[in-house]
Amino acid sequence: VGLILLHTEQRIHGDLNPRAIVRVGSKWKLSNLQVSKPIGQPTTDFRVCNEGYMSPEVAALVMDPAECGLGGAGSSSPLAAAQNNDTYTPDSSYDLFSLGCILYSLVFGSEMWNINKNGDISSADLVQLARWSPISFLDKASITFPIEGRTDNQKAAIDLISKLLAPTPHDRRAAFEFGMVSVRQHEFLQKKPLDRTTLEAFKAKQDIMFQGEKDHGHYKQILRDLTLEERWELQRAKDVLLFGVLEPTNVHLPTSIVILKDRLPVGRDEPMTKRDAKRRLKEAMKWASNVDVLNDSVRGALQGDVPSIGHFWSLISDLFSEQDYMYLYFVDELTGQPVLGDGSNPNYPMEITTRSDTLPKILPLMHLTMRAMALYHGVAGVARMFGNTMPNLPEEWRHLAQVKVNALKQERGATPFGSLAADIEMMRASREQFMKSSSLRATAARELVRFVERKEGHKVDLVGLQRYPDSDGFAIWTSLDNSAGFKDAISKRSAERLKEERNHWVDEQEREIDALVENIGVGTEKMAMIEMTLGQTVTELATSNSNADALQSQIAEMEKTLEEKERTIEEAKAELEKENNQAKCGTVACAIM
């Protein structure tokens, strides 16, 4: 009742824990209200709360960014952005999670975490809290209260706690429409058995958990039969290709898909003609060419904007101009091939009506699948997921398609449908919260679930695909069911990865050689010009030297002539002086006489 009154006043308690519930006389009351905050008003005081009773969304803000893979202060993910802002907007769902932690300790006889006297938990537990999944609780419940022997009261208690401990505020609000009022009306607190609908929903949630455990056991058995090198190759593929990151958390469904213009033949063993192979590659490259310009129309379609849907179809009119339907196939994540099925399911491949809103809403998933195939298998991998079965593509085709396939491999910066790096960071911080976020890829995954359930209901025929989840719940979807098949697929994947890396290296070398040849050509032209200029300079210098020699000869002649003139002048002066002297002598002789 105290929480109901607080929430009615638009406030949260903010630090609900066993020590905040005290008995006064015959009544139980709430204490420690000093951190109570108004709902909807951002605050920075959440860090003083008891960590052992925090909700996952607040735990993600308290923890060190590096611990949850957010990438630090420079990260662009939504969770990291909120963490960098150091604020939390209070929501009544926070108190619901704290109440779930208290009920957990009362029902199971132990705390969810090892909590010290200050109310704090270890860094490792804080990471687990930030990544909280309801499967963790259901697993604990199945050990403490075996399913076969549960009483009605135990079933109701487990149902209530699982809803209170839902990992996202959205899930908690959805489970309790009227907040604490709805909590108080739950069957456990009313001492009633669960109604049939609630019991079936709870059973379905448990079935998903137990199927996941069974699948994980099968996966571990296969891993034991693999060599260390094969395990490394498989793990590398999972990390690079992001297997399972967009799989919905409330239902097991593969998200590696391809949408084709035509149905693929089933049960035909004849080899594919070169013409058909080229057509498949051409279809893939058209998508690769168009995907960059579809971001705005896809975003609008996911937000329910009808004009965006029309704009989307106008942009790809050359792909599906004369068709009424397209066909959705799941893609085997180990072989890279579209899953054909055996033809017995009339709803598979799943038909998508052209000009409907389905294709633009799930296109981000196909783009991510194309990226995965491009990263590991290059042009051949992208062609294969579009139905090509030719074992070796002509080198000419690969060269023509390589630029577009290289663009598919991009993951940072302005990638289509938002930053993939930011999505990965948010998913690693809290997968549950990411799958409820407004990310185009997460929204596309939710739309895929709705589309498949409309086509097939809740019992989805996965046409032979099997789910192999790791300990973190990230799964590989493949039709292979034994270690021999895994070994063969891993060997082929490794060979194709090395081939793609070699092709990439060869392409880089060819580009470098072409650039070097071009530089050599430019250098040769420059050298020829220098030699020509040098020849002209030498000629001019020779001419200049010849002119200088002639001038020097002229100067010598002039100097010789000048010397002769000077001698003549000197001789004339001497002759003149002699005559003058003789004249003087004649004058003196006359005077004597």
Side-chain angles (χ1 to χ4, degrees):
V1 175
L3 283 178
I4 292 176
L5 292 176
L6 264 177
H7 294 175
T8 301
E9 294 295 324
Q10 292 297 298
R11 299 186 71 86
I12 65 167
H13 184 283
D15 194 21
L16 191 63
N17 63 80
R19 287 181 290 184
I21 303 173
V22 297
R23 188 182 181 100
V24 180
S26 60
K27 296 181 179 180
W28 292 95
K29 294 189 177 183
L30 293 176
S31 65
N32 297 348
L33 294 172
Q34 60 267 29
V35 296
S36 174
K37 295 295 178 184
I39 292 175
Q41 296 186 19
T43 178
T44 59
D45 291 344
F46 57 84
R47 294 179 183 274
V48 301
C49 305
N50 283 272
E51 292 178 352
Y53 300 89
M54 277 183 176
S55 63
E57 63 272 15
V58 175
L61 301 178
V62 171
M63 65 193 299
D64 184 348
E67 292 176 338
C68 58
L70 288 175
S75 174
S76 57
S77 75
L79 279 181
Q83 187 176 54
N84 295 334
N85 291 335
D86 205 33
T87 60
Y88 166 67
T89 302
D91 185 287
S92 60
S93 64
Y94 180 95
D95 285 341
L96 297 186
F97 192 90
S98 300
L99 179 61
C101 294
I102 296 172
L103 289 179
Y104 179 100
S105 63
L106 293 174
V107 171
F108 291 95
S110 63
E111 303 285 356
M112 287 174 56
W113 317 101
N114 291 321
I115 305 174
N116 64 23
K117 63 181 181 180
N118 297 321
D120 297 330
I121 59 179
S122 68
S123 296
D125 283 347
L126 196 60
V127 171
Q128 291 301 313
L129 176 56
R131 297 173 176 173
W132 177 253
S133 168
I135 300 299
S136 303
F137 166 72
L138 293 176
D139 191 29
K140 168 73 173 178
S142 67
I143 297 173
T144 307
F145 302 110
I147 293 177
E148 301 302 327
R150 287 178 184 171
T151 65
D152 288 341
N153 191 49
Q154 288 170 345
K155 292 177 183 177
I158 293 170
D159 179 70
L160 173 59
I161 295 173
S162 69
K163 290 177 178 177
L164 288 170
L165 295 181
T168 68
H170 175 273
D171 289 336
R172 280 169 247 144
R173 288 192 296 266
F176 303 104
E177 183 179 1
F178 301 106
M180 279 302 302
V181 174
S182 298
V183 172
R184 197 180 183 196
Q185 293 173 348
H186 190 273
E187 288 87 346
F188 175 66
L189 298 180
Q190 296 296 320
K191 299 181 180 179
K192 297 178 181 179
L194 295 174
D195 61 50
R196 181 178 178 182
T197 303
T198 304
L199 197 58
E200 288 179 351
F202 183 65
K203 184 177 182 301
K205 192 185 296 183
Q206 287 190 134
D207 289 344
I208 290 176
M209 180 194 72
F210 291 127
Q211 184 60 48
E213 290 182 346
K214 181 180 177 182
D215 294 339
H216 181 54
H218 190 188
Y219 181 58
K220 288 197 296 184
Q221 179 60 49
I222 288 177
L223 288 180
R224 279 193 287 269
D225 295 335
L226 300 181
T227 65
L228 185 62
E229 183 180 356
E230 289 167 339
R231 291 183 198 177
W232 179 87
E233 186 68 36
L234 184 61
Q235 186 60 47
R236 186 181 188 280
K238 289 178 63 178
D239 292 342
V240 172
L241 307 185
L242 307 177
F243 287 154
V245 298
L246 289 177
E247 182 182 336
T249 54
N250 59 338
V251 61
H252 293 160
L253 184 72
T255 55
S256 292
I257 61 171
V258 64
I259 298 153
L260 303 178
K261 294 172 63 175
D262 306 305
R263 287 178 180 269
L264 296 174
V266 178
R268 287 173 53 184
D269 296 329
E270 60 265 25
M272 174 170 281
T273 65
K274 193 172 182 179
R275 179 180 178 183
D276 283 342
K278 189 172 184 178
R279 180 168 58 85
R280 297 289 180 195
L281 179 60
K282 186 177 179 181
E283 183 177 346
M285 291 305 100
K286 280 189 175 181
W287 275 118
S289 299
N290 282 278
V291 74
D292 283 328
V293 300
L294 296 174
N295 177 67
D296 291 340
S297 55
V298 167
R299 185 181 299 276
L302 286 168
Q303 294 172 347
D305 181 57
V306 176
S308 292
I309 299 170
H311 182 58
F312 173 90
W313 285 104
S314 68
L315 290 173
I316 62 168
S317 58
D318 60 327
L319 271 173
F320 306 106
S321 58
E322 300 177 356
Q323 297 194 220
D324 295 324
Y325 297 100
M326 298 156 296
Y327 303 93
L328 184 148
Y329 286 86
F330 294 121
V331 175
D332 188 309
E333 292 176 338
L334 275 187
T335 67
Q337 298 171 332
V339 181
L340 302 181
D342 57 8
S344 62
N345 183 352
N347 293 324
Y348 188 85
M350 300 177 199
E351 290 183 348
I352 297 177
T353 306
T354 54
R355 289 167 288 282
S356 70
D357 63 346
T358 301
L359 178 55
K361 287 183 176 181
I362 62 177
L363 183 62
L365 300 182
M366 187 174 84
H367 174 259
L368 198 61
T369 308
M370 292 176 69
R371 171 191 174 273
M373 297 303 112
L375 277 172
Y376 239 69
H377 306 291
V379 175
V382 176
R384 186 184 301 117
M385 72 172 278
F386 276 80
N388 172 63
T389 58
M390 181 181 287
N392 295 301
L393 294 178
E395 194 65 18
E396 179 188 358
W397 297 5
R398 189 186 72 80
H399 276 291
L400 290 174
Q402 193 65 54
V403 173
K404 294 176 183 176
V405 170
N406 287 343
L408 287 171
K409 300 177 183 181
Q410 183 180 356
E411 74 175 60
R412 293 192 176 272
T415 53
F417 316 125
S419 170
L420 179 57
D423 279 358
I424 294 171
E425 288 176 359
M426 186 177 183
M427 177 275 301
R428 286 175 177 165
S430 175
R431 185 180 179 192
E432 297 277 352
Q433 293 184 52
F434 169 69
M435 292 307 299
K436 298 292 191 305
S437 73
S438 59
S439 159
L440 293 189
R441 297 180 181 90
T443 308
R446 299 195 295 268
E447 289 295 335
L448 178 65
V449 172
R450 296 189 187 99
F451 170 71
V452 172
E453 289 182 345
R454 285 199 306 269
K455 288 288 184 179
E456 301 226 348
H458 294 282
K459 294 287 185 179
V460 179
D461 180 4
L462 296 175
V463 291
L465 279 177
Q466 297 189 53
R467 182 175 182 269
Y468 295 95
D470 60 18
S471 56
D472 294 323
F474 296 109
I476 295 174
W477 286 88
T478 178
S479 57
L480 305 175
D481 61 357
N482 55 57
S483 56
F486 267 66
K487 284 175 175 287
D488 183 58
I490 290 171
S491 175
K492 290 179 179 177
R493 180 179 290 279
S494 177
E496 284 206 333
R497 175 177 63 80
L498 292 174
K499 182 179 179 181
E500 174 62 11
E501 290 177 356
R502 186 188 69 226
N503 288 337
H504 179 70
W505 182 85
V506 170
D507 289 343
E508 285 293 325
Q509 294 300 309
E510 288 180 352
R511 280 193 289 270
E512 290 181 7
I513 290 172
D514 290 342
L516 183 60
V517 169
E518 183 179 351
N519 290 337
I520 291 174
V522 172
T524 301
E525 291 179 1
K526 289 183 177 179
M527 184 61 71
M529 291 186 64
I530 291 172
E531 289 179 351
M532 184 176 68
T533 303
L534 183 60
Q536 292 175 347
T537 303
V538 169
T539 301
E540 291 174 358
L541 182 60
T543 302
S544 177
N545 288 338
S546 176
N547 293 336
D549 291 342
L551 182 61
Q552 191 67 35
S553 177
Q554 290 178 2
I555 291 173
E557 288 292 331
M558 291 177 67
E559 287 178 346
K560 183 179 180 181
T561 302
L562 182 60
E563 288 177 357
E564 291 176 353
K565 294 292 184 183
E566 288 178 347
R567 281 196 300 272
T568 302
I569 291 172
E570 289 297 329
E571 290 175 354
K573 283 182 177 180
E575 188 68 28
L576 182 60
E577 185 175 355
K578 181 179 180 181
E579 290 178 357
N580 287 336
N581 289 334
Q582 290 177 354
K584 287 180 181 179
C585 287
T587 303
V588 171
C590 287
I592 294 175
M593 291 178 61

